[in-house]
Amino acid sequence: NHEVEMFEEFRAAQEAAREHDMGVVMWSYPRGQGLKDDTSADTIAYAARLGLELGADIAKVKYPGSGDAMRWAVDNAGDMKVVMSGGSKTSDEAFLSTVAEAVEAGADGLAVGRNVFQRENPEAILDGLEAVIFDEASVDEALAATGGLEASD
């Protein structure tokens, strides 16, 4: 278990960033003994809270599987921003649904490179994301409005 060492390394990086007026983003993915690919609500809420406690400006966390679980993570982060990681590539519809749930739950943004750039039509999924996030369109509306997206793989 290297938890204490990782906390100390993050603290040093965070302090160095502050000396240069830089923001700090923490990739907060709890791992280790008993936590292989754990995306349970409590684990992701813990991940978000760690970012706050260790002084990050933003915590990047995995999606915990539901809007309610994401809300729990966002609530545990206090006034720190929380962004959702993209995870493995999914269908257009599933990806947009996850994003809509995360944003509705209070996530401040996304860090989802693979789920955009590994698609045959990355421009279409970007249009879909824009519709869901900024235009508050439903997933079905976003799929219909952005030709080239599919309801399932």
Side-chain angles (χ1 to χ4, degrees):
N1 186 351
H2 300 284
E3 190 174 42
V4 171
E5 294 161 21
M6 289 187 290
F7 290 169
E8 290 172 352
E9 288 175 5
F10 183 82
R11 184 195 73 229
Q14 187 261 17
E15 289 173 354
R18 298 292 179 228
E19 289 175 10
H20 299 284
D21 293 323
M22 295 174 63
V24 178
V25 179
M26 179 182 195
W27 270 242
S28 195
Y29 301 155
R31 292 189 171 106
Q33 201 169 12
L35 284 176
K36 186 171 182 127
D37 297 321
D38 186 349
T39 58
S40 68
D42 287 342
T43 298
I44 301 306
Y46 169 75
R49 186 64 186 200
L50 274 178
L52 174 70
E53 298 290 342
L54 294 175
D57 296 299
I58 300 171
K60 177 182 173 186
V61 300
K62 293 182 178 183
Y63 183 69
S66 74
D68 288 340
M70 191 69 179
R71 167 62 59 198
W72 176 236
V74 169
D75 288 347
N76 273 277
D79 62 355
M80 182 194 63
K81 295 186 181 305
V82 176
V83 299
M84 181 191 89
S85 68
S88 300
K89 184 177 171 275
T90 61
S91 72
D92 297 335
E93 181 178 30
F95 178 52
L96 291 175
S97 294
T98 298
V99 168
E101 289 174 5
V103 170
E104 187 174 313
D108 293 289
L110 311 171
V112 294
R114 281 183 296 171
N115 249 313
V116 170
F117 301 112
Q118 288 182 350
R119 295 181 186 278
E120 284 189 35
N121 191 345
E123 293 87 3
I125 199 69
L126 288 170
D127 289 342
L129 288 169
E130 181 179 356
V132 167
I133 296 168
F134 298 110
D135 300 336
E136 298 179 4
S138 71
V139 171
D140 289 338
E141 291 168 336
L143 288 169
T146 56
L149 295 182
E150 298 179 11
S152 63
D153 275 347

